[in-house]
Amino acid sequence: MKNSPEIPSTKRRILATAALPYANGSIHVGHLVEYLQADFWTRFQRLMGHEAHYICADDTHGTPITIAAMKRNIAPEALIAEKWQEHFADFSDFQIQFSHFSSTNSEENRALCEEFYSHMKAKGHLNQKMVEQLYCTHDKMFLPDRLVKGTCPKCGSKDQYGDSCDKCGATYGPTELKEPYCSTCGTAPIMNSSEHILFKLNDFKDYLREWLPGHTSKEMANKMTEWFNEDLRDWDISRDAPYFGFKIPGTDNKYFYVWVDAPMGYISSSLQFFKKQNPQDPKLAEQKFREFWKEDEAAKANTEVYHFIGKDIVYFHTLFWPALLKTAGFRSPTQVLVHGMLTVEGEKMSKSKGTQIQARTYLKHLDPTYLRYYYASKMSGGVDDLDLNLEDFVNRVNSDLVGKITNLASRGAQMLSKKMDGIMSTPDSEGEKLLRQAHAKADVIAAAFDAREFARGLNEIRALADEANRYFDEKAPWKTLGADPTATKQVLTTTLNLFRSLAIYLKPILPEYTKNVEKLFGDTKSAQGYLWADAKQTLTNHKIKDYEHLASRIDPEKVKAMSEESKPTEAIKPVTANAAKPTVAPPVERNAAATNEIEFSDFEKVDLRVALIVEAEEIKEADKLLRLKVNLGALGERQIIAGIKSAYKPEDLKGRLTIVVANLKPRKMKFGMSEGMVIAAGEGGSNLFILSPDSGAKAGDKVK
């Protein structure tokens, strides 16, 4: 990305988008991974002094909307208006700060679809042909990909949608599914034909091959270029009535496919935003819009556009979308930033297990600050999945955010206000050294946040909090209050200044938390509050306000109540197709040696990582155990209690790289929490050998 993460001499001009939530469902904690990541990043850019806009909208068209509205006997417009209110409330209550949150069912979006279509038609990028489709005789309608389910043609997984497989990641067309059935009524569909309009994607093959490497990650670019081994297929951009969407000009019963008008929502919502920003000057609004979106080299040099998306929709955003933009003379995104999916307790979210937690259910029981902090503590800039382990969630928030960071303010501010006059003085010599170290980390943390390596940035913040707590505990100001109030006040001044810097570093992630910190220090001179540069300042001879509550520990019972409420009230019954059941092959006899075999998918559940052993110490009360502190790169530091005492001395382990299981559920032991497992070979006792990677591997690398 452009420029240094330091306070800029030239302001960056950024527009970021997140994938549009579909208006036929509620927001859940899996969706929030993306919207929070983009929120953290755009808030950080604004703290750095840049112009950064965060644009989103509800995705409102398609057959599922039509059917959902029919079932409730309301108009589709009423349904999407209701969902817009629900989605916007959920996002707002999770402190997500959109510059503008719109809807794809807008006149701006309709005009944009027609503009794009006119360019496709004029430039010869369209084709028409008869297309065989699945047709539901019960519902009397053609079935789009998300209204048909069946068995994946690649891996054989059942109950997969008609466009892609959740199990193996394969993409395909609805007609390729085995044993298909209508996902609304269960009827086995028949084949029927209809004339469709197709976009000739292969016309852009050379352009896309050149475009991809510079506009998404190397991993994603390599995956997408696998499609170029053969001609790119024509893309069906039309759908038959009944369909809720925009009618294609010049046709009687054809509508734009939802994946045509949905990404255009990024552009139409931007136009609405700039109009809203400049209500008295439509020419200025149009100029700003063009600077971000039109294919103008001078404008592109001074503006940046970023799409935040999940890895499940990369195909649309890195092949179809840039081709459409090129056709109509619009600029392509600077980067398509791809993230992984959310798992809960190491598995895909499940309604039946109560792990598909709705945003509103979470908010009913817990503070959004907790989830914002936890997600950030596990976010890297890559496409690895993020796991919500509820026990780890409670432990990490209670230990780090409350026990380490908030504790500094709680102890320091209350002592200064209640036991003294509430006026900070100056730091002592050791405090000045600690503050210089904390200020020096501003650029390090900024670089991590700019690269979306939020976990790495939080590791730095936690390390500073550890040093601040060590300093406070060693100085023990509660003991010196009577004998040496001057020295006591210096310690409190240092501690509060350290906390203030940490709170500013946390502001992109915990905006409401930091707003309360601004009140504590009386730093409310502007609506914007702290900027990143303020973290490098030291307050002296400064009056603070009375301490008010910032964060409390999570009650595990509230987490349990949230999980219980997320479980269905009755067992979920899968839709069964009105078709003959497939023949099940008899089990194959296997020899005894093969009974422990596992599927590859089972192995994939184990997250093996390269770890750097930062510290190692003997647990004297235990015969076999060592306490290790390991660094897992973007995943942060963990404590692991390992049974290798008979084979290794602690001093021999420090600085070594080894392999650990990183997604093992934390285990509370007599001697502390163990947050992983070191992999070792051998018979046990002194005959144990920890595994080490070859040279070149680094902490956090995934073992594949």
Side-chain angles (χ1 to χ4, degrees):
M1 298 182 186
K2 296 182 181 178
N3 299 337
S4 163
E6 299 176 358
I7 297 301
S9 56
T10 303
K11 182 185 288 188
R12 291 171 66 181
R13 301 184 63 207
I14 296 168
L15 189 147
T17 73
L20 311 188
Y22 198 48
N24 194 34
S26 298
I27 304 300
H28 57 63
V29 293
H31 296 129
L32 289 171
V33 171
E34 178 172 311
Y35 301 107
L36 288 174
Q37 184 189 54
D39 188 59
F40 299 160
W41 192 76
T42 48
R43 284 181 181 274
F44 163 72
Q45 300 299 344
R46 288 192 285 269
L47 282 184
M48 294 296 292
H50 301 303
E51 175 187 345
H53 310 298
Y54 183 13
I55 303 296
C56 197
D58 260 356
D59 178 6
T60 58
H61 292 153
T63 306
I65 299 291
T66 308
I67 292 175
M70 288 171 58
K71 285 181 176 179
R72 293 181 53 188
N73 198 28
I74 60 175
E77 290 82 359
L79 174 69
I80 64 175
E82 177 186 298
K83 279 298 176 183
W84 188 95
Q85 293 288 346
E86 178 191 316
H87 289 176
F88 186 72
D90 287 345
F91 290 137
S92 297
D93 289 347
F94 266 97
Q95 303 166 21
I96 293 168
Q97 188 179 54
F98 292 120
S99 304
H100 186 59
F101 186 73
S102 185
S103 164
T104 58
N105 193 46
S106 69
E107 284 308 309
E108 290 89 349
N109 212 38
R110 182 194 300 275
L112 198 64
C113 287
E114 293 178 356
E115 178 184 348
F116 269 61
Y117 183 72
S118 68
H119 284 287
M120 297 180 217
K121 194 171 182 179
K123 295 175 182 178
H125 296 312
L126 294 178
N127 189 18
Q128 287 184 293
K129 70 175 185 179
M130 297 299 292
V131 175
E132 275 202 327
Q133 295 174 271
L134 297 176
Y135 183 84
C136 179
T137 54
H138 178 272
D139 292 329
K140 295 181 172 52
M141 62 183 296
F142 288 101
L143 297 178
D145 46 30
R146 285 273 150 171
L147 275 189
V148 59
K149 283 189 170 184
T151 300
C152 171
K154 308 291 184 180
C155 71
S157 296
K158 295 186 180 301
D159 298 319
Q160 299 303 311
Y161 282 110
D163 57 351
S164 62
C165 177
D166 289 339
K167 296 290 185 182
C168 71
T171 57
Y172 41 74
T175 57
E176 296 177 75
L177 279 175
K178 298 178 181 178
E179 301 155 356
Y181 61 90
C182 174
S183 63
T184 56
C185 69
T187 301
I190 64 171
M191 295 300 297
N192 207 343
S193 296
S194 173
E195 186 173 66
H196 276 244
I197 303 169
L198 293 91
F199 178 69
K200 295 192 285 187
L201 186 61
N202 200 56
D203 290 355
F204 298 86
K205 184 176 181 179
D206 291 339
Y207 167 71
L208 292 170
R209 193 199 306 272
E210 182 180 346
W211 180 86
L212 269 166
H215 293 83
T216 190
S217 68
K218 183 178 179 181
E219 180 180 355
M220 289 295 103
N222 289 341
K223 185 175 181 62
M224 288 301 104
T225 52
E226 292 175 3
W227 291 94
F228 299 153
N229 294 328
E230 56 187 43
D231 285 347
L232 299 176
R233 299 179 186 177
D234 289 353
W235 179 38
D236 190 345
I237 64 168
S238 65
R239 291 295 184 267
D240 294 287
Y243 196 83
F244 181 56
F246 297 138
K247 185 173 283 189
I248 298 177
T251 69
D252 293 328
N253 66 340
K254 302 293 180 186
Y255 291 79
F256 286 113
Y257 175 39
V258 65
W259 265 108
V260 175
D261 74 76
M264 290 187 198
Y266 300 144
I267 305 178
S268 59
S269 300
S270 302
L271 178 58
Q272 289 178 343
F273 167 66
F274 289 120
K275 285 179 178 178
K276 185 176 71 174
Q277 254 198 340
N278 305 277
Q280 306 304 320
D281 195 341
K283 287 186 177 179
L284 180 59
E286 176 66 23
Q287 177 190 328
K288 288 190 173 183
F289 169 74
R290 292 182 66 86
E291 286 171 352
F292 275 101
W293 280 111
K294 294 305 287 186
E295 196 172 42
D296 177 275
E297 290 305 318
K300 283 168 65 177
N302 297 308
T303 59
E304 307 166 50
V305 175
Y306 297 94
H307 292 327
F308 284 77
I309 64 164
K311 61 185 179 182
D312 57 328
I313 53 174
V314 173
Y315 187 85
F316 292 102
H317 281 80
T318 60
L319 294 182
F320 297 143
W321 181 227
L324 290 182
L325 291 166
K326 184 70 173 173
T327 303
F330 283 74
R331 65 95 55 81
S332 65
T334 310
Q335 284 281 304
V336 177
L337 304 172
V338 185
H339 62 82
M341 300 292 101
L342 181 77
T343 58
V344 180
E345 309 291 355
E347 298 181 358
K348 184 180 175 182
M349 287 190 298
S350 165
K351 287 183 180 179
S352 62
K353 294 181 180 179
T355 56
Q356 185 167 306
I357 303 165
Q358 302 299 319
R360 190 51 51 182
T361 305
Y362 175 97
L363 290 165
K364 180 178 175 181
H365 297 276
L366 295 166
D367 190 324
T369 294
Y370 301 147
L371 196 68
R372 290 180 69 99
Y373 180 85
Y374 185 73
Y375 276 4
S377 74
K378 305 192 83 174
M379 277 182 181
S380 69
V383 296
D384 287 342
D385 290 344
L386 187 156
D387 185 55
L388 172 57
N389 179 295
L390 294 176
E391 185 177 350
D392 181 47
F393 165 65
V394 172
N395 292 336
R396 196 171 297 211
V397 170
N398 288 351
S399 171
D400 296 346
L401 177 59
V402 180
K404 293 180 180 179
I405 297 170
T406 306
N407 192 45
L408 293 169
S410 176
R411 295 200 290 176
Q414 292 194 81
M415 188 177 296
L416 188 65
S417 294
K418 293 180 178 180
K419 304 292 185 181
M420 306 185 87
D421 59 4
I423 300 175
M424 299 165 66
S425 60
T426 58
D428 60 11
S429 58
E430 185 180 350
E432 287 178 347
K433 181 180 177 182
L434 283 176
L435 284 165
R436 284 195 298 272
Q437 292 173 352
H439 298 165
K441 289 293 184 180
D443 295 341
V444 176
I445 297 168
F449 284 4
D450 189 51
R452 296 170 295 122
E453 296 277 357
F454 295 105
R456 180 158 58 91
L458 278 185
N459 287 343
E460 298 286 354
I461 293 170
R462 282 196 296 269
L464 291 173
D466 285 338
E467 278 298 289
N469 278 290
R470 177 200 59 77
Y471 165 84
F472 188 88
D473 290 339
E474 288 182 359
K475 293 291 184 179
W478 60 91
K479 293 181 180 179
T480 61
L481 184 61
D484 194 348
T486 300
T488 300
K489 184 174 278 195
Q490 285 185 309
V491 172
L492 299 179
T493 298
T494 297
T495 302
L496 288 171
N497 268 298
L498 287 168
F499 169 73
R500 178 177 174 273
S501 292
L502 299 185
I504 295 172
Y505 296 150
L506 285 169
K507 188 174 180 179
I509 297 163
L510 307 180
E512 292 300 317
Y513 178 95
T514 306
K515 188 182 292 184
N516 290 328
V517 174
E518 291 168 352
K519 291 178 185 176
L520 172 65
F521 287 98
D523 293 341
T524 55
K525 15 185 207 308
S526 70
Q528 190 173 18
Y530 289 138
L531 291 175
W532 197 259
D534 294 326
K536 295 183 178 182
Q537 297 174 348
T538 298
L539 299 182
T540 58
N541 305 311
H542 180 84
K543 174 75 173 177
I544 67 168
K545 307 290 185 183
D546 290 340
Y547 178 80
E548 294 183 6
H549 172 76
L550 289 173
S552 57
R553 294 179 183 274
I554 298 176
D555 181 353
E557 288 302 313
K558 290 186 176 181
V559 176
K560 183 179 178 182
M562 175 187 70
S563 296
E564 287 300 316
E565 186 174 330
S566 299
K567 292 178 180 177
T569 53
E570 56 185 53
I572 298 174
K573 296 179 180 179
V575 176
T576 304
N578 296 333
K581 292 184 178 180
T583 303
V584 179
V588 178
E589 290 187 9
R590 306 188 65 85
N591 59 41
T595 55
N596 290 326
E597 287 183 353
I598 62 172
E599 297 292 337
F600 182 70
S601 58
D602 294 322
F603 171 74
E604 285 185 306
K605 294 177 184 177
V606 182
D607 187 7
L608 296 174
R609 299 275 180 159
V610 175
L612 173 67
I613 301 176
V614 179
E615 296 176 6
E617 64 176 356
E618 179 183 353
I619 299 177
K620 293 183 179 177
E621 303 92 331
D623 295 333
K624 300 178 180 179
L625 303 179
L626 295 181
R627 181 180 288 107
L628 308 180
K629 183 178 181 181
V630 301
N631 185 301
L632 291 168
L635 298 183
E637 292 186 344
R638 306 272 184 88
Q639 174 175 281
I640 295 178
I641 296 176
I644 56 174
K645 186 174 182 179
S646 300
Y648 291 95
K649 296 178 180 178
E651 58 267 25
D652 295 334
L653 292 172
K654 189 174 180 180
R656 284 191 58 171
L657 290 175
T658 188
I659 308 297
V660 304
V661 179
N663 64 338
L664 193 66
K665 186 175 181 179
R667 180 184 174 194
K668 191 171 184 179
M669 303 176 69
K670 179 180 179 181
F671 305 105
M673 187 70 70
S674 184
E675 302 171 298
M677 177 187 291
V678 174
I679 302 298
E683 297 175 358
S686 60
N687 188 21
L688 267 180
F689 308 93
I690 65 171
L691 303 188
S692 299
D694 207 343
S695 60
K698 58 184 184 299
D701 282 353
K702 197 175 180 75
V703 179
K704 301 177 181 179

